[in-house]
Amino acid sequence: MKTHTLSVVQIIPTLNKGGAERFVVDLCNELSLQKGKDIYLVSLWANEADTTFLHELKKDVHYITFSQKGPADLSVLYRLNKWLLTLKPDIVHTHMSAFEYIFPYRTLSKSTSFFHTIHSKAEKECPWKKRKKLRKYFFNKNTLPIAVSQDGYETYKSYYGLENAVVIENGRPAIGITDLFNEISLKYKNPDEYLLVHLGRIVDVKNQKLLIEAVQLFNKNSAKKCTLLIIGGIRDEILYQSLLDLCKRDQYIKFLGDKNNVADYLSIADGFCLSSIYEGMPMTIIEAFSVGCIPISTPVGGIPEMITHSVTGFLSKDLQVKSYYMAINECLSSESKESIKDNCLQEYFTRYSIKICGDKHWKLYSL
């Protein structure tokens, strides 16, 4: 007797290098380990293998792109919904602005279960009034919202006036060092200096200006200096130039661009720095946890749910330079660094592995 193969479709605008995109690729790879399940990753836009996460997608995941040509390319709406009507998947799970692209199928389908993950603050993800009304309608009708943190849930509750979201924390596969580790260690690890690493795109929300000024303040006040490695692609050229101007003649601040081997850098660092204005549940903190690198972060979004101060990392009191400087100083001068590193590893294996996250999604899909 032929058995039904469960089909799960994850839909996202692109696979560009960002936290939500990183998560969707990881989730699809994890879900694909289940036998007798068909996992589809649908990208509205085309993706280049060398500039996106496409190359990390496992072969067992069915990858489909509708190669959207631009914001005005409405043909993708027709083609996507036609494809969904033909496939009739059991689960459709949207992310970011992909929510709006399947309004026709959400309305017509009687057999598909719908989910949508809110990766950041609800009002940041959907600031448009008309879209907000449509989303609220479907959240009430047939789409279960998923928040990645309790903070995210609270923003959903406040913004939409609804209380039906569930919380599933992000997960990430453990990251490992590469053949470049020894070379990187020799180049950047100096026993006479501290080493901090920042992972993040050059965009306003990542607030690298605060981080740079705090490290410069630390170096001004400390005999033992601190090198800061800033790793991430340039999304805002004007901002990048202003940061370069801020770092003129500063030998301790280095911009390395995008890297695919972040574990090599985190594994030799004294701390991982995140200075964002707002966040959902950062994948970079999970990556730091997975290699036992101590995070130092601003207390925004879901981050205070992840980091217990002086136990699994360090939090600044606010978004002021002096506060972040004090968090850096507290971390680097701590006599408990080794136990904090162990706590970070334990936190990863008990809360943030992709297997734990994948199992929670399967449980939710099965309800």
Side-chain angles (χ1 to χ4, degrees):
M1 183 176 179
K2 188 176 180 180
T3 58
H4 172 69
T5 300
L6 186 75
S7 54
V8 178
V9 176
Q10 305 281 339
I11 308 177
I12 193 166
T14 76
L15 298 182
N16 288 338
K17 292 189 175 181
E21 295 86 352
R22 165 81 280 164
F23 171 77
V24 172
V25 169
D26 289 342
L27 180 61
C28 285
N29 286 341
E30 179 64 25
L31 296 179
S32 72
L33 298 177
Q34 293 274 349
K35 294 183 178 180
K37 311 287 196 303
D38 283 335
I39 310 301
Y40 296 84
L41 193 160
V42 173
S43 175
L44 303 179
W45 297 73
N47 300 280
E48 298 293 333
D50 57 343
T51 58
T52 70
F53 290 125
L54 179 60
H55 67 285
E56 297 187 26
L57 200 61
K58 290 183 177 179
K59 293 180 180 179
D60 290 335
V61 178
H62 305 288
Y63 169 67
I64 296 170
T65 177
F66 286 90
S67 300
Q68 186 170 346
K69 303 301 181 184
D73 181 11
L74 299 181
S75 70
V76 68
L77 291 170
Y78 171 77
R79 291 182 284 122
L80 172 59
N81 285 275
K82 182 181 178 182
W83 178 79
L84 288 169
L85 285 167
T86 300
L87 181 66
K88 295 181 175 63
D90 298 284
I91 305 293
V92 171
H93 189 159
T94 53
H95 304 263
M96 304 169 76
S97 62
F99 188 102
E100 283 74 25
Y101 282 77
I102 65 165
F103 280 157
Y105 188 68
R106 284 187 202 276
T107 303
L108 295 171
S109 176
K110 304 299 181 184
S111 59
T112 297
S113 296
F114 296 96
F115 302 85
H116 178 78
T117 293
I118 300 168
H119 290 274
S120 185
K121 291 181 178 294
E123 65 272 19
K124 295 291 184 181
E125 183 182 271
C126 183
W128 310 278
K129 290 183 179 180
K130 290 183 179 179
R131 291 188 188 183
K132 175 186 175 183
K133 289 181 179 179
L134 285 170
R135 287 195 180 200
K136 182 174 180 178
Y137 170 79
F138 283 106
F139 285 147
N140 259 321
K141 183 181 179 183
N142 66 357
T143 301
L144 182 62
I146 303 171
V148 298
S149 67
Q150 189 61 36
D151 176 78
Y153 172 84
E154 294 300 331
T155 69
Y156 168 82
K157 177 181 174 182
S158 174
Y159 192 58
Y160 291 103
L162 301 173
E163 300 183 18
N164 61 331
V166 299
V167 176
I168 299 181
E169 294 174 328
N170 283 339
R172 183 83 174 89
I175 56 175
I177 61 173
T178 71
D179 294 339
L180 297 173
F181 174 77
N182 289 335
E183 177 185 338
I184 290 169
S185 182
L186 287 171
K187 185 174 183 179
Y188 293 112
K189 189 63 174 176
N190 183 343
D192 298 323
E193 296 175 0
Y194 296 114
L195 179 65
L196 297 177
V197 171
H198 167 76
L199 307 177
R201 308 178 305 282
I202 306 297
V203 290
D204 282 335
V205 68
K206 296 300 180 182
N207 202 14
Q208 284 96 355
K209 182 176 182 290
L210 168 67
L211 171 59
I212 290 168
E213 290 179 341
V215 170
Q216 289 176 330
L217 181 59
F218 178 90
N219 286 339
K220 180 180 178 180
N221 295 324
S222 176
K224 185 175 180 179
K225 306 304 180 184
C226 178
T227 291
L228 171 64
L229 305 181
I230 298 176
I231 299 174
I234 302 168
R235 296 290 181 88
D236 186 329
E237 185 64 38
I238 295 175
L239 174 61
Y240 176 58
Q241 290 302 320
S242 71
L243 295 177
L244 288 180
D245 289 341
L246 182 62
C247 299
K248 277 183 178 177
R249 303 182 191 88
D250 192 330
Q251 63 179 327
Y252 296 106
I253 312 292
K254 305 179 189 300
F255 292 86
L256 304 188
D258 210 2
K259 298 291 181 182
N260 292 322
N261 59 324
V262 296
D264 295 333
Y265 297 90
L266 291 172
S267 296
I268 62 172
D270 295 290
F272 161 68
C273 291
L274 195 62
S275 49
S276 301
I277 298 169
Y278 68 86
E279 288 279 357
M281 178 158 283
M283 304 297 283
T284 50
I285 289 182
I286 298 176
E287 289 177 333
F289 278 164
S290 77
V291 296
C293 183
I294 302 172
I296 309 165
S297 180
T298 46
V300 297
I303 294 174
E305 299 169 40
M306 305 177 76
I307 297 174
T308 301
H309 188 76
S310 77
V311 178
T312 54
F314 294 85
L315 293 170
S316 62
K317 291 183 178 180
D318 50 42
L319 274 67
Q320 300 300 310
V321 171
K322 185 176 180 181
S323 296
Y324 200 87
Y325 154 74
M326 292 175 66
I328 291 174
N329 188 60
E330 190 173 355
C331 174
L332 297 182
S333 62
S334 173
E335 296 181 357
S336 305
K337 282 192 286 239
E338 291 307 313
S339 64
I340 295 173
K341 290 179 181 180
D342 290 340
N343 293 340
C344 290
L345 286 168
Q346 183 69 13
E347 197 75 354
Y348 169 76
F349 286 111
T350 57
R351 288 182 64 183
Y352 298 114
S353 77
I354 191 61
K355 185 181 185 309
I356 292 173
C357 182
D359 288 346
K360 288 179 179 179
H361 278 84
W362 276 127
K363 184 177 181 180
L364 186 64
Y365 294 158
S366 302
L367 292 178

